[in-house]
Amino acid sequence: MALFLGAIPFLGLAGVYAAASSARLSANPADKLLPSFEQMGTTFWRMATVPEVRTGDLTLWVDTFDSLQRLGLGLGVSVLLALTFGIAIGFVPHVRSALAPFLAAISLIPPITVLPILFITFGLGETAKVALIAVGTAPVMIRSVAQAVLDIPREQIVKVQTLGASVWQMVTRVVLPQVWPRLITALRLGLIPAFIFLISAEAIASTTGLGYRIFLVRRYLAMDVILPYVAWITLLAFLIDRALLLFSRRIFRWAFLEGEAL
Amino acid sequence: MSFVEVSRLTKRYGDTQVLERVNLSVAKGTFCTIVGASGCGKSTFLRILLSQEVQSSGTVSVDGTALPPEPTPDRGIVFQRYSVFPQLTVEDNLVLAEEFATARWTGRLFGSARSSAKQAVAETLSNIGLMAAKDRYPAQLSGGMQQRLAIAQALLMRPKILLLDEPFGALDPGIRVDMHDLLLRLWREMEMTVFMVTHDIHEAFKLGTRLLVFDKVRHDPDSPEAFGATVTYDLDLKSGPVTEPPTEIADIIYPRPEETTDARSS
Ligand SMILES: Nc1ncnc2c1ncn2[C@@H]1O[C@H](COP(=O)(O)OP(=O)(O)O)[C@@H](O)[C@H]1O
Ligand SMILES: [Mg+2]
């Protein structure tokens, strides 16, 4: 029932699109703006299965692989930064005093404005794109982790000291485990910004990638490529988000025992 | 020289004087219950005994030596809440101390070392009635079960002193009685010195061999923070259980609203 109710808006949107598309196409069969589902399906299938003449690549899979690799590397760097700086800021008052204002200022820089700087510094290659994703997502993730550390009740830190833990044991057995689920939540929330930065960077300087492709074919008004690509990107984002949630629920079961989680 | 010696202890937070001139000698094996009005500094006193907080002046020594600057395993603590680790099962909460002691870098035991550590806590688990719940997480336990786990965990390091800050404050009265029996049993078995803060005067008289009442001796109606609390009653309860607590002590712990107003207007 819930599944059916949830499907209604999707079906509705598809129906409206199909009607509008067939209306335009019956007026002008060469219309490019609202291609039929059939046209889009054919194009998408071709990009997924027929090697490109010049390079011999399967366009969709090369684009997808390259984009996901950039996304993964960028978010991976962010996670590492969040763990090291987030825990240091949350756990050590002096580090917090030293870095918190700086972090607050840094996180207000619109990341896309540093893209030219990254291109100048790192060149037009992969590094600049990965760096943009990291720059764009790390500040929020660092703050989430720092907050997660601060949210650990003081009682637990004291308690673990009375159990004879060293600082290292305290961090690895009490702080880190309680930070992980919050870090995954931060990662899920950072996914869409990360995609925005990825697509932007690819649109400006790239020769492969999902963002590169949709901005390339825009010149030919190739809506039959753009629309399926947008749906594909959305599906990828959805699948990554769900996978992270399932992973978190399975590995950190204790964190989902109280209240509801989205 | 007694076991715990507190001498001319004071504690200030900025302009707020919380404790002043607390002097105390406690013999080894005493079960000290501490009562006093809300906010008078009972928790602060326990935090100082635990080295979670440093006094503003005065000295505290245990067994003739001044307190170390950080909490150590020779003093166990049970708080009202958050004493156990939510990410560990009941059994893992109890194995944790052994893991800290043996696995310096990983803080974890594996394989046979882990099995034997689990074996070592089996008796504790059945002692506190949590054998059947050993694989549950704290969030899946009732309040009473959580506090039993917290007490057992605090005793794993065989502390010489056990500190409890309103440990049963959030529990139903019926469950409290069971907790009292458990605590008294463990206290006798382990020959510890106990300091327990409670807001329940009957509990204080029932459990303690010595009762300390914290209260302010001096009041400044214009600036209530100017003076701190100290030990105003110090009762020996070893002679036998007191069935009816004296009303003057009850008045200190549960001040009546009209009295407070009178004190301010006079
Ligand atoms: N870290 C702190 N900073 C400032 N004031 C504090 C701090 N901790 C406690 N206090 C103050 O000290 C007083 C005593 O607190 P506490 O020891 O928790 O009282 P009790 O446990 O008797 O209810 C309270 O007025 C409280 O506001
Ligand atoms: Mg208190």
Side-chain angles (χ1 to χ4, degrees):
Chain A
M1 187 64 192
L3 202 68
F4 174 73
L5 284 177
I8 290 178
F10 290 99
L11 295 174
L13 181 65
V16 169
Y17 180 88
S21 161
S22 78
R24 274 191 82 102
L25 286 173
S26 61
N28 170 18
D31 180 64
K32 290 190 125 185
L33 218 52
L34 298 180
S36 69
F37 282 115
E38 200 194 337
Q39 288 170 314
M40 290 193 283
T42 316
T43 310
F44 195 65
W45 183 251
R46 178 170 47 73
M47 300 188 84
T49 55
V50 181
E52 204 193 310
V53 187
R54 193 164 44 81
T55 56
D57 289 336
L58 295 174
T59 316
L60 174 72
W61 301 115
V62 170
D63 285 345
T64 304
F65 179 82
D66 287 357
S67 285
L68 288 185
Q69 182 170 303
R70 289 164 192 148
L71 192 78
L73 285 172
L75 286 174
V77 171
S78 276
V79 165
L80 284 181
L81 290 173
L83 282 177
T84 44
F85 286 95
I87 289 181
I89 290 171
F91 199 61
V92 189
H94 287 302
V95 177
R96 180 155 66 249
S97 314
L99 289 186
F102 180 68
L103 185 65
I106 287 279
S107 54
L108 290 176
I109 302 175
I112 208 77
T113 58
V114 302
L115 186 56
I117 304 172
L118 296 175
F119 279 144
I120 293 169
T121 321
F122 297 118
L124 298 179
E126 293 301 292
T127 318
K129 300 182 196 76
V130 170
L132 178 67
I133 296 172
V135 167
T137 54
V140 183
M141 276 170 42
I142 293 174
R143 288 171 105 177
S144 297
V145 168
Q147 190 60 52
V149 176
L150 286 173
D151 288 346
I152 296 175
R154 184 68 229 254
E155 285 90 337
Q156 290 191 14
I157 303 298
V158 173
K159 178 67 176 280
V160 83
Q161 284 181 298
T162 67
L163 294 180
S166 64
V167 172
W168 171 251
Q169 291 172 327
M170 201 186 301
V171 170
T172 52
R173 291 302 316 268
V174 175
V175 177
L176 255 184
Q178 300 201 42
V179 160
W180 278 122
R182 299 272 297 265
L183 178 63
I184 293 197
T185 306
L187 188 58
R188 289 174 59 208
L189 292 175
L191 204 56
I192 289 308
F195 258 109
I196 296 175
F197 302 132
L198 170 74
I199 304 285
S200 313
E202 287 178 343
I204 294 169
S206 190
T207 53
T208 56
L210 300 164
Y212 161 76
R213 193 68 50 201
I214 52 181
F215 277 85
L216 177 75
V217 301
R218 179 187 62 94
R219 296 180 213 154
Y220 320 116
L221 297 180
M223 287 291 261
D224 58 333
V225 176
I226 296 176
L227 288 176
Y229 257 61
V230 171
W232 177 242
I233 292 168
T234 311
L235 179 69
L236 288 174
F238 174 79
L239 290 178
I240 297 171
D241 180 69
R242 285 292 113 168
L244 285 171
L245 176 63
L246 283 179
F247 171 78
S248 190
R249 269 180 196 272
R250 174 153 296 211
I251 307 288
F252 312 115
R253 196 162 65 84
W254 63 270
F256 295 87
L257 294 173
E258 283 166 310
E260 288 215 19
L262 280 173
Chain B
M1 190 81 176
S2 314
F3 185 55
V4 177
E5 283 285 346
V6 177
S7 166
R8 303 189 62 79
L9 180 80
T10 66
K11 178 68 192 176
R12 271 184 306 276
Y13 290 110
D15 288 339
T16 312
Q17 183 84 34
V18 179
L19 297 171
E20 61 178 46
R21 287 179 298 175
V22 179
N23 293 297
L24 201 62
S25 300
V26 177
K28 200 168 185 146
T30 308
F31 195 128
C32 249
T33 48
I34 300 172
V35 294
S38 208
C40 77
K42 306 178 298 292
S43 298
T44 305
F45 180 66
L46 279 201
R47 285 201 296 268
I48 292 171
L49 288 183
L50 184 64
S51 306
Q52 184 187 341
E53 200 93 64
V54 184
Q55 65 268 33
S56 308
S57 68
T59 54
V60 183
S61 66
V62 174
D63 232 355
T65 25
L67 289 180
E70 296 277 322
T72 44
D74 58 352
R75 287 159 295 158
I77 176 78
V78 177
F79 296 103
Q80 185 170 354
R81 296 172 64 199
Y82 306 126
S83 288
V84 295
F85 302 103
Q87 78 276 16
L88 299 175
T89 61
V90 169
E91 190 173 46
D92 287 342
N93 259 289
L94 293 179
V95 169
L96 190 63
E98 177 61 26
E99 291 185 302
F100 287 149
T102 17
R104 188 143 173 256
W105 291 111
T106 57
R108 276 170 213 277
L109 294 174
F110 303 96
S112 65
R114 188 171 160 74
S115 316
S116 61
K118 283 185 172 186
Q119 221 120 69
V121 301
E123 197 187 322
T124 309
L125 275 172
S126 57
N127 237 332
I128 56 172
L130 288 182
M131 193 45 124
K134 70 183 170 69
D135 294 320
R136 289 203 219 159
Y137 289 101
Q140 298 168 309
L141 302 178
S142 70
M145 292 160 103
Q146 284 191 27
Q147 288 308 74
R148 291 210 294 272
L149 177 61
I151 292 171
Q153 194 181 43
L155 296 180
L156 281 172
M157 305 300 288
R158 304 212 135 251
K160 292 181 285 183
I161 298 177
L162 179 64
L163 306 164
L164 305 111
D165 194 350
E166 306 198 26
F168 313 135
L171 305 183
D172 296 334
I175 294 169
R176 279 192 214 182
V177 177
D178 298 341
M179 302 296 290
H180 294 164
D181 296 343
L182 175 74
L183 186 58
L184 285 176
R185 200 177 77 219
L186 292 168
W187 167 64
R188 288 195 194 102
E189 277 170 17
M190 303 190 59
E191 298 168 339
M192 312 169 277
T193 307
V194 173
F195 289 87
M196 170 169 159
V197 172
T198 172
H199 204 64
D200 177 342
I201 190 167
H202 295 279
E203 186 173 83
F205 274 92
K206 175 183 170 190
L207 296 179
T209 58
R210 184 172 175 185
L211 175 95
L212 304 173
V213 182
F214 276 66
D215 194 20
K216 294 183 181 186
V217 274
R218 298 182 289 170
H219 280 279
D220 181 345
D222 295 323
S223 57
E225 313 86 50
F227 299 112
T230 187
V231 178
T232 54
Y233 283 86
D234 184 346
L235 304 182
D236 188 354
L237 303 175
K238 276 197 290 288
S239 44
V242 177
T243 41
E244 201 41 51
T247 46
E248 65 264 32
I249 292 180
D251 285 344
I252 292 169
I253 312 177
Y254 319 110
R256 278 178 235 139
E258 59 272 17
E259 276 182 359
T260 347
T261 343
D262 284 353
R264 242 180 246 137
S265 56
S266 63

